[in-house]
């Protein structure tokens, strides 16, 4: 059995229950390579102008961009991370598809 | 995401990470703890805010708890989380010494303050964070300003506390799309909270109806949206997800993995609104077993 509380410490009297949520539209854009995941801020963001792709680098390093605020990852790079992932989808009252996702694991 | 700690509690393992993410896991069909994972601790009844909906009835006549001489602290397991509150916890004169003792014992201390105290005491709070004396910081918010938003954005482990039925649509929307985390607390019709509710049920109705409808949309505008158990019931959060997702997400009833201790009155219970209270003993496991049996 497994239970996960995402991204918050306990600051209250009763169990805290959390969700990390993005719109399905953005999630699909990320999967299609149109957005990047900022793994520090846990937000989907546009490609920076000076983003360097793997085939454009001399040493053929993994495709990544580091801007000092955190590592930006494509969907494929995120999947490659050696951590477990979780995923959920639901529909809002207005009909929007919303996605909750994340990874957890040990970096050290 | 760095691992803060890993431990065994009863029949399952727990991992807790630097952003507060917590994972409970075993190969069984149940997760049964031996000691509390989280304890809500009231360390003072002193507060100069006089919030009309305060369910703790805290005032400037409130007294501080004797936080340096309670033996149950020595029986806490490493990486237990403590949610320290009041009253205004940062007004307690022994707070730093208490937090240093907790840090030595590898206890994860989190503190919740009102937005006014947060702004006024920002340098002190920054010191507590930089010394790793506290990890999570809850900030109770009712009125949103640009200055407040800017300060809230400085620390990724801040979670904004808003109360269902009290926070107004116009205020909450000012916090949208700022990369913030929010904790929605249920409304406690208890002590001053009952008085406010009886006088302002029309305001409560407007605010609560809006949030109930807005909730699925609202969730998209924050990095994390979280709830206490009362808010889960009042907002019917279960409507937002599948049964499987609910089972992964729901972290337990009050008293199942958590408990409450009032260090001012030296009482313990399953939660701060429980009226079934007993005198604090010197052993956290004994107290937790009593709370679990009450449930």
């Amino acid at each position: 059995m497994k239970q996960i509380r995402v991204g918050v410490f306990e600051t209250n009297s009763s169990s805290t229950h959390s969700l990390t949520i993005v719109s399905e539209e953005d999630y699909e854009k990320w999967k299609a390579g149109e957005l990047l995941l900022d793994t520090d801020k846990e937000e989907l963001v546009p490609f920076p102008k000076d983003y360097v792709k793997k085939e454009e680098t001399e040493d053929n390093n993994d495709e990544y961009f580091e801007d000092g605020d955190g590592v930006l990852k494509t969907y494929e790079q995120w999947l490659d991370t050696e951590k477990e992932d979780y995923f959920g989808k639901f529909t809002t009252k207005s009909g929007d598809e919303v996605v909750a996702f994340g990874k957890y694991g040990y970096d050290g | 995401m760095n691992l803060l700690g890993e431990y065994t509690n009863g029949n399952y393992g727990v991992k807790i990470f630097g952003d507060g993410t917590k994972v409970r896991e075993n190969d069984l069909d149940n997760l049964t703890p031996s000691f509390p994972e989280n304890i809500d601790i009231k360390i003072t009844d002193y507060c100069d805010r006089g919030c009309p909906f305060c369910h703790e009835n805290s005032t400037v006549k409130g007294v501080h708890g004797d936080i340096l001489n309670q033996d149950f602290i020595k029986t806490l397991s490493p990486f237990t989380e403590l949610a320290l509150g009041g009253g205004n916890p940062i007004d307690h004169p022994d707070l730093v010494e208490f937090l240093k003792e907790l840090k030595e014992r590898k206890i994860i201390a989190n503190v919740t303050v009102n937005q006014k105290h947060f702004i006024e005491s920002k340098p002190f709070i920054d010191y507590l964070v930089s010394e790793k004396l506290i990890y999570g910081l809850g900030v109770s918010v009712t009125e949103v300003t640009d200055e407040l938003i800017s300060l809230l954005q400085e620390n990724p482990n801040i979670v904004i506390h808003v109360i269902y039925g009290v926070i107004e649509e116009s205020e909450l929307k000012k916090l949208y799309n700022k990369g913030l985390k929010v904790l929605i607390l249920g409304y406690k019709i208890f002590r001053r909270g009952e008085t406010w509710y009886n006088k302002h049920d029309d305001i409560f109705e407007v605010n609560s109806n809006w949030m109930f409808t807005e909730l699925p949309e609202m969730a998209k505008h924050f990095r994390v949206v979280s709830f206490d158990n009362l808010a889960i019931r009042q907002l019917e959060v279960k409507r937002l997800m599948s049964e499987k997702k609910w089972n992964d997400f729901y972290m337990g009833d009050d008293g199942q993995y958590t408990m409450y201790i009032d260090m001012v009155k030296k009482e313990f219970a399953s939660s701060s609104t429980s009226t079934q209270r007993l005198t604090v003993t010197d052993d956290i496991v004994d107290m937790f077993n009593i709370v679990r049996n009450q449930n």
Side-chain angles (χ1 to χ4, degrees), chain A residues 1-5 7-8 10-15 17-19 41-42 90 94 96 105-107, chain B residues 1 17 20-22 24-26 28 40 81 110 112 161 181 217 220 223 225-227 240 251 254:
Chain A
M1 189 168 178
K2 185 188 293 182
Q3 289 175 329
I4 305 165
R5 180 188 72 192
V8 286
E10 187 71 43
T11 53
N12 179 56
S13 61
S14 56
S15 302
H17 315 267
S18 63
L19 290 169
K41 295 180 179 173
E42 297 168 11
F90 58 88
S94 61
D96 290 343
Y106 179 38
D107 282 336
Chain B
M1 198 160 59
F17 297 88
T21 295
K22 174 183 275 186
R24 299 174 182 149
E25 191 172 12
N26 65 15
L28 306 171
D40 176 28
E81 280 184 272
N110 308 313
T112 295
H161 289 206
K181 300 176 179 179
E217 296 294 323
K220 293 188 287 187
R223 278 177 67 192
V225 177
S226 51
F227 311 88
L240 297 178
M251 297 297 281
D254 291 343

Side-chain angles (χ1 to χ4, degrees), chain A residues 10-33:
Chain A
E10 187 71 43
T11 53
N12 179 56
S13 61
S14 56
S15 302
T16 294
H17 315 267
S18 63
L19 290 169
T20 303
I21 295 170
V22 298
S23 73
E24 185 173 36
E25 185 185 351
D26 281 352
Y27 186 78
E28 291 301 327
K29 282 183 180 174
W30 180 41
K31 284 174 74 175

Side-chain angles (χ1 to χ4, degrees), chain B residues 207-251:
Chain B
N207 294 338
S208 59
N209 282 345
W210 170 75
M211 186 181 280
F212 190 91
T213 308
E214 174 77 357
L215 184 62
E217 296 294 323
M218 203 183 101
K220 293 188 287 187
H221 300 289
F222 291 94
R223 278 177 67 192
V224 173
V225 177
S226 51
F227 311 88
D228 72 352
N229 284 312
L230 187 56
I232 282 177
R233 287 197 295 277
Q234 292 175 343
L235 280 160
E236 299 175 19
V237 175
K238 202 172 178 180
R239 67 195 156 113
L240 297 178
M241 62 196 77
S242 67
E243 188 71 24
K244 183 188 180 308
K245 198 66 199 161
W246 174 260
N247 291 335
D248 288 345
F249 151 79
Y250 187 66
M251 297 297 281

Side-chain angles (χ1 to χ4, degrees), chain A residues 22-73:
Chain A
V22 298
S23 73
E24 185 173 36
E25 185 185 351
D26 281 352
Y27 186 78
E28 291 301 327
K29 282 183 180 174
W30 180 41
K31 284 174 74 175
E34 296 170 23
L35 291 173
L36 293 166
L37 175 69
D38 183 321
T39 56
D40 271 4
K41 295 180 179 173
E42 297 168 11
E43 292 172 348
L44 296 177
V45 297
F47 277 74
K49 286 178 184 170
D50 48 354
Y51 183 83
V52 180
K53 292 202 170 189
K54 180 179 179 180
E55 58 269 26
E56 296 167 357
T57 60
E58 287 183 2
D59 54 4
N60 220 25
N61 277 336
D62 285 345
E63 184 179 358
Y64 74 99
F65 178 86
E66 210 160 9
D67 63 0
D69 288 326
V71 177
L72 305 182
K73 288 189 183 296

Side-chain angles (χ1 to χ4, degrees), chain B residues 81-142:
Chain B
E81 280 184 272
L82 303 188
L84 305 178
N88 179 16
I90 55 175
D91 261 342
H92 197 299
D94 298 326
L95 179 64
V96 171
E97 192 174 343
F98 181 54
L99 291 174
K100 285 180 176 174
E101 180 186 355
L102 296 177
K103 184 180 176 183
E104 281 178 16
R105 295 183 181 280
K106 295 186 178 177
I107 305 299
I108 297 174
N110 308 313
V111 166
T112 295
V113 295
N114 179 276
Q115 68 175 82
K116 174 178 173 280
H117 299 137
F118 168 65
I119 292 172
E120 287 174 353
S121 305
K122 186 71 172 35
F124 176 61
I125 291 170
D126 286 346
Y127 160 76
L128 298 179
V129 172
S130 67
E131 293 298 312
K132 297 189 174 176
L133 293 173
I134 64 172
Y135 284 87
L137 176 63
V139 180
S140 301
V141 169
T142 51

